[in-house]
Amino acid sequence: MNEELSGRLRTAAEAHQPDRARILARVERGMSAAPDRHGESSGARPWPRVALASLAAAGILAGGGFAVASIVQSPPARPDVPAAPAAPSAPSAPWTPHATPPAPTTGGPTVPDRSSSTSAGPEASGSTGPARPGSAHVQDGPLWSAGSLDAGSNTYWAQSNITLRTAQPLTALTVELRITQTAGVQSTGNWRTLPADDFTVTVQQEGGVVVYRWILKPGRTVPAGQHVFAGQYNHAAGERETGRDGYRVDATGPRGALSVWGGFTPAR
């Protein structure tokens, strides 16, 4: 039922005015036509019959009004709309084994470039301990080093020099000179170009090696520039082999720990 028909019924229901007298007359005529079971005269209608007719007429009127009202007020039925079918789910992809991922690489801080004239020694920068004979790491940032046999060395006596150059002041410094104790090697002295009061100096034998060690005292500073540390010793007659001698320097500057090491070149 569309909206137009509903509107028409609503208008007709509101304008309808039932004729009670006409309806009652119809009811009475219908009832008078029925056979008289008790032999009553047609002119004498007892009051129960009249009351019954009135109730029937009222019921017809009420029923008609309710029917029209229900037609007008009932909303039109909606046609059944089929629900939209659910979208089919995509078929799941077949499982395939994954290849073993490559091992992750571990990132780390960038190591500053520390140039060296030869291969690096076994110790890390900033650590203490002797370098292997034949290994060398002569420069570490602002710190540079060189080992040489002094030109004043002779057949019975020699001096090994460690030359340091630093572009920045040093707040800590340990210089170690190691002379292999071949036949006749005995320490005869040592010196350095820096003030003697700034260092603690020791000379001792350690496993067949004479070790000279200069340690900067706390609170002292090594200025930027070139400095020399030297160890002197006697040895057996003849030219002495220096291939097993070595040095190591550990320092602290503005950029942190620094280390260099190496051997000795023959005197010229």
Side-chain angles (χ1 to χ4, degrees):
M1 185 179 294
N2 55 25
E3 295 294 332
E4 182 181 358
L5 181 56
S6 298
R8 288 182 180 181
L9 290 174
R10 189 180 298 108
T11 303
E14 293 174 355
H16 177 68
Q17 298 292 334
D19 190 347
R20 293 176 58 90
R22 189 175 180 180
I23 293 172
L24 290 174
R26 286 184 178 181
V27 173
E28 289 181 0
R29 284 197 300 268
M31 295 182 65
S32 63
D36 189 1
R37 295 180 182 179
H38 303 285
E40 297 176 354
S41 62
S42 60
R45 295 190 180 96
W47 67 268
R49 183 173 295 181
V50 175
L52 181 61
S54 299
L55 291 174
I60 292 171
L61 292 175
F66 284 128
V68 174
S70 63
I71 292 173
V72 173
Q73 295 178 0
S74 299
R78 293 185 180 178
D80 293 335
V81 179
S89 58
S92 55
W95 180 86
T96 55
H98 295 283
T100 302
T105 57
T106 303
T110 303
V111 179
D113 181 22
R114 296 179 175 180
S115 59
S116 172
S117 60
T118 59
S119 61
E123 280 80 22
S125 176
S127 63
T128 59
R132 261 192 327 223
S135 66
H137 180 68
V138 299
Q139 184 171 359
D140 188 358
L143 183 64
W144 175 91
S145 65
S148 62
L149 194 62
D150 189 83
S153 301
N154 55 47
T155 305
Y156 304 99
W157 176 90
Q159 177 176 298
S160 295
N161 300 330
I162 304 171
T163 302
L164 296 181
R165 283 204 298 266
T166 175
Q168 299 174 348
L170 304 176
T171 56
L173 178 65
T174 298
V175 179
E176 186 178 280
L177 166 63
R178 302 177 67 86
I179 304 297
T180 302
Q181 201 168 13
T182 55
V185 169
Q186 292 182 346
S187 175
T188 60
N190 63 85
W191 58 272
R192 86 265 94 226
T193 56
L194 291 167
D197 292 342
D198 289 353
F199 290 87
T200 298
V201 183
T202 60
V203 180
Q204 55 191 3
Q205 296 183 11
E206 298 178 0
V209 178
V210 178
V211 180
Y212 301 79
R213 191 175 286 120
W214 296 264
I215 301 175
L216 184 67
K217 294 180 180 180
R220 309 297 173 92
T221 301
V222 175
Q226 179 170 302
H227 313 287
V228 177
F229 296 81
Q232 301 169 336
Y233 49 92
N234 290 331
H235 59 81
E239 184 176 355
R240 181 179 173 275
E241 176 61 44
T242 62
R244 297 174 61 187
D245 300 343
Y247 71 89
R248 181 181 178 89
V249 179
D250 294 294
T252 301
R255 61 176 293 178
L258 306 169
S259 292
V260 290
W261 58 84
F264 295 91
T265 58
R268 291 183 174 85

